[in-house]
Amino acid sequence: MPTITIANVKGGCGKSTVALNLAVQLHQAGRGVLLIDADPSIRTLSTWEQDRQDTGAPIIPVVHKTGMLHKTLSSLAAQHDVIIVDVPGKDSAEMRTALTASDLALVPVLPSQPDVDATTGTLLEILAQAREYNEDLETLAVLTKVPTHIWSKEADEAAQILTDAGLTPAGTRIHDRAVFRSSLSEGLSAPESTNSKAKAEIRTLTDQVMTLIEGENQ
């Protein structure tokens, strides 16, 4: 079954937000999802799961696993429809080993020059090394925390740089919406909110992710 690693070498790009919203969207579509919180120090998904237990919302299991993840992911793959791994926002053993056992590296990127530079530099090198062990690894970049101001050109410029570097940007962008922050702190998610724009962004991203993975696995 598909394994998705949410990865970048820059913190603050929204990895955990993407991971949990993707997981809830897939759960709503009837998929059995396992979230793996692979950050040794910042346990965002584990905290979210604890908060979620008080909401009455459907439980999505979160497992905290760190260190070398290849064998762990390989053994869990047959037990779940989809595994989503949230690795630390830096070069780490968790990131490198998870990528060797993943079908997709989903790369959240802020539309800023430092973030784009780190993604098209260090992260691309890590992805290239992962493909030496996992030649079928797919990649997809998603621009996150995109300004909602209609005149902002940052996202378009970032998308072009990512494309030129060989990273395919997702067809949708995750905008800087308060609902992503508030729902996370409550143990919930955008798909469970009343914000139609945020819900549409997550739904469209999830559709593209699963089409990419399942198309490759056919």
Side-chain angles (χ1 to χ4, degrees):
M1 293 293 112
T3 297
I4 303 165
T5 292
I6 316 293
N8 207 330
V9 292
K10 288 279 287 184
C13 62
K15 291 188 298 78
S16 299
T17 298
V18 170
L20 69 89
N21 279 280
L22 190 65
V24 172
Q25 186 69 45
L26 287 167
H27 177 84
Q28 290 182 345
R31 307 267 187 162
V33 185
L34 175 67
L35 279 165
I36 295 184
D37 186 345
D39 196 318
S41 55
I42 305 174
R43 300 176 61 169
T44 302
L45 291 185
S46 299
T47 301
W48 175 79
E49 182 195 31
Q50 293 171 7
D51 293 338
R52 190 171 178 81
Q53 293 176 7
D54 298 326
T55 67
I59 295 300
I60 295 176
V62 177
V63 175
H64 187 241
K65 293 283 186 181
T66 60
M68 302 299 184
L69 296 178
H70 183 95
K71 289 184 178 179
T72 297
L73 296 180
S74 298
S75 64
L76 289 171
Q79 303 173 35
H80 304 274
D81 293 339
V82 185
I83 296 175
I84 301 173
V85 189
D86 184 21
V87 297
K90 60 182 179 181
D91 188 358
S92 63
E94 288 82 7
M95 179 191 294
R96 288 179 177 270
T97 55
L99 290 171
T100 64
S102 295
D103 298 280
L104 174 69
L106 182 58
V107 182
V109 188
L110 296 182
S112 74
Q113 195 65 50
D115 287 83
V116 172
D117 287 346
T119 302
T120 57
T122 303
L123 184 67
L124 279 184
E125 294 175 2
I126 293 171
L127 291 171
Q129 291 169 8
R131 287 198 185 92
E132 293 180 6
Y133 302 92
N134 180 10
E135 62 182 13
D136 295 326
L137 178 66
E138 293 285 338
T139 60
L140 184 68
V142 55
L143 289 165
T144 56
K145 302 184 182 179
V146 174
T148 55
H149 194 290
I150 62 172
W151 301 113
S152 175
K153 301 297 183 184
E154 286 182 315
D156 290 341
E157 293 168 357
Q160 187 59 58
I161 295 171
L162 293 169
T163 300
D164 292 344
L167 270 173
T168 301
T172 191
R173 297 167 181 175
I174 307 301
H175 287 79
D176 188 13
R177 305 188 191 282
V179 66
F180 289 117
R181 296 184 292 275
S182 62
S183 61
L184 186 155
S185 67
E186 296 167 358
L188 296 170
S189 65
E192 295 162 316
S193 76
T194 58
N195 189 306
S196 60
K197 291 182 179 179
K199 293 171 75 166
E201 288 172 1
I202 296 301
R203 182 173 60 251
T204 304
L205 176 63
T206 304
D207 288 346
Q208 183 173 3
V209 164
M210 296 312 295
T211 297
L212 177 62
I213 292 176
E214 293 179 336
E216 288 296 319
N217 288 339
Q218 287 178 357

